[in-house]
Structure formats: structure tokens, C-alpha cells
Amino acid sequence: MVAAETATQWLTDYHNLLARHGLDATTLMDSALTPANREQPALFSLAQLLANPDLLQQQVLKDYQDADHPRLRKARLSVLHQSLALQIIGPLVIRLFRDGSSAALDPRRVFLCSTTSTPADPSRWQYAASEQEILEPEAFIRILSEQMQDWYGVFRQHFGVSPGAYWSSVGLALGAPYSVVWNRVNPAELCKQAGSWLAQFKCEANRYIDWIPAEFSQQWCAIPQRKGCCLKYLLPGGGYCGTCGIYRKERIS
């Protein structure tokens, strides 16, 4: 019982913080979980990718002409990992905060999809949500921590994704519920809660994300700042991520 109470404390603190600001956490998270309209056919699963990383290498070379250049290929792979984190892992964490439990991240149910003809592709990852294993907070934290550690070797060794890029993308995903209300609650308290939450995961994510209070348009808010770069700025039309810490000056100027 003590362990269960400890594992759910961050969820309780989060709901209490929002309630003190007159916000309904369930309504906000329902809105954040609105599914994207994806109709691209699936190419292969994340489980297949992890077992055979050449699948993704070959697909990136096929899909993106600039991927012949090693640095741009690395950027494409890094951005695909960021999309995987934000579009697949992030919603699972939001569901945990909304419902008090969430689906296990099953790589057999995560699929890379074909590109679209539009200049700005939607996320290329889909999650098949049927018959999911549901985890309580303590198990969710433990298992997801182990998965992020295990998958790091593949993205680092086979795709060249840097430690800072990998773990800061994971950190953004794990902090997704806090990003939902980044400008809606007391920023100092939100930053404290977000940092404490990330520290529960036995992986390197909390080392590569700093939640800091910042002022925009005379309004104080809470911003997650990466200590690593996803390299999106190298790609055509990529620009800088709103959470970029390394290229902050270029992004703001």
C-alpha cells in the first residue's frame, strides 16, 4: 500500500495544482489526447525495427533524398525518434495522469507509416490501441524506464542519435502532462513538480531536461529546456524546436 501511495503522489499533486487554478485536469487531458487523422499504411513495427535496425536505415534512405548525406541522415533519424517519443510515449503518460493507470508501451503495436505528399508530414508513428495491457503507476514507471534504457542502445549505436537528443526527447515525452498546462498554472510549482516526476524514472531523461520559469509577452510560464539537440534545424523548413536549449539565441532572435 505504501508503494502504491508513493507512486501515485505525483498524479495527485498534479490534479491538486490544476484545481487550485480552477482547471479541470480530465478535460484538459482529453483535449490533449485528440487523435491525429492518419491514413498512411504501416511499413513495419517498432518491435521489428528494434530487432533489425537496418529496416529504418533503409526506409529513411528511400523516403528522403537528403539522407544520402550522413549528417542529414542522422538528423532524420533523430527527428523520427523525437516524433516517436512525443506522439507515442507522451500520450501514454497523459493517460496515466488522467486515469491513474495507462497502457503498457508495446513495441509490437507501434508502427512506422509511409510518408505523405504534404510538405509537413504528420507523425509517422501509429499505435494500435486494441487489447492493451493496463499498468498501475508504479509498474508503468518501472517498465517504461527499462524500455527507454534498452532502446537507447539501438538509437545510439545504429542510428547515431546523441545521448542529449535521445534522452531530452524522452524527457519531453515523460513530462507531457506538464506541457499541457505550461502557461496555465504557477510556473515555479509546475517546474518543481515536473522535475520531481522525471526523477522517478530510472533512466537519464531527467539529466537532459530542465523545467524553468520564463516570461513571454509579460506572462510567466514553465518551459522545458533540452540539454541536447534533435538536429531538426538541419532539415528543410525544420527551424528550431520551442524547447531548444542549445540554439536558444538563434531561435529567439
Side-chain angles (χ1 to χ4, degrees):
M1 180 64 69
V2 173
E5 290 175 353
T6 300
T8 58
Q9 186 60 52
W10 291 270
L11 283 63
T12 300
D13 290 345
Y14 177 86
H15 282 260
N16 289 341
L17 174 62
L18 269 61
R20 290 198 297 273
H21 289 78
L23 302 174
D24 180 73
T26 300
T27 300
L28 288 172
M29 287 186 276
D30 282 344
S31 178
L33 289 170
T34 301
N37 182 21
R38 301 190 183 99
E39 298 180 353
Q40 312 101 292
L43 298 169
F44 47 80
S45 71
L46 178 58
Q48 292 173 304
L49 180 163
L50 293 169
N52 181 11
D54 284 344
L55 285 173
L56 185 58
Q57 292 273 24
Q58 295 165 5
Q59 194 65 45
V60 166
L61 287 169
K62 178 181 178 181
D63 292 342
Y64 304 106
Q65 293 183 351
D66 56 19
D68 285 334
H69 190 288
R71 194 177 186 207
L72 293 179
R73 181 165 65 251
K74 179 180 176 180
R76 291 288 183 188
L77 290 162
S78 179
V79 170
L80 275 172
H81 170 258
Q82 178 179 255
S83 178
L84 170 66
L86 297 182
Q87 301 298 325
I88 301 298
I89 301 172
L92 295 179
V93 182
I94 291 176
R95 289 189 178 94
L96 179 73
F97 275 65
R98 183 190 65 181
D99 302 335
S101 60
S102 189
L105 177 51
D106 185 345
R108 298 170 301 179
R109 298 182 179 277
V110 178
F111 296 92
L112 182 74
C113 298
S114 301
T115 58
T116 68
S117 59
T118 57
D121 282 349
S123 169
R124 294 191 59 181
W125 300 97
Q126 288 192 66
Y127 193 84
S130 61
E131 300 180 4
Q132 301 174 92
E133 178 187 5
I134 302 300
L135 300 174
E136 297 302 310
E138 187 178 37
F140 182 89
I141 292 170
R142 175 179 54 81
I143 293 173
L144 190 55
S145 295
E146 292 170 354
Q147 288 174 312
M148 296 302 97
Q149 290 281 20
D150 291 343
W151 300 357
Y152 171 69
V154 174
F155 284 92
R156 176 65 180 143
Q157 296 171 18
H158 292 275
F159 306 139
V161 177
S162 71
Y166 180 89
W167 289 116
S168 60
S169 291
V170 170
L172 287 177
L174 298 181
Y178 299 95
S179 295
V180 171
V181 291
W182 67 282
N183 62 347
R184 306 286 298 273
V185 300
N186 180 281
E189 191 169 356
L190 182 66
C191 290
K192 182 179 178 180
Q193 281 197 22
S196 178
W197 167 249
L198 285 178
Q200 305 315 304
F201 289 84
K202 306 303 181 185
C203 63
E204 298 294 300
N206 63 316
R207 291 185 53 198
Y208 288 93
I209 287 286
D210 279 332
W211 277 83
I212 60 173
E215 186 177 9
F216 289 102
S217 302
Q218 299 182 331
Q219 179 186 8
W220 281 94
C221 51
I223 302 291
Q225 290 288 279
R226 303 167 64 115
K227 295 181 183 177
C229 182
C230 67
L231 303 181
K232 182 180 178 180
Y233 76 99
L234 292 174
L235 303 179
Y240 297 102
C241 301
T243 57
C244 182
I246 292 179
Y247 294 92
R248 189 183 311 165
K249 292 182 179 179
E250 291 89 338
R251 175 171 50 84
I252 293 175
S253 63

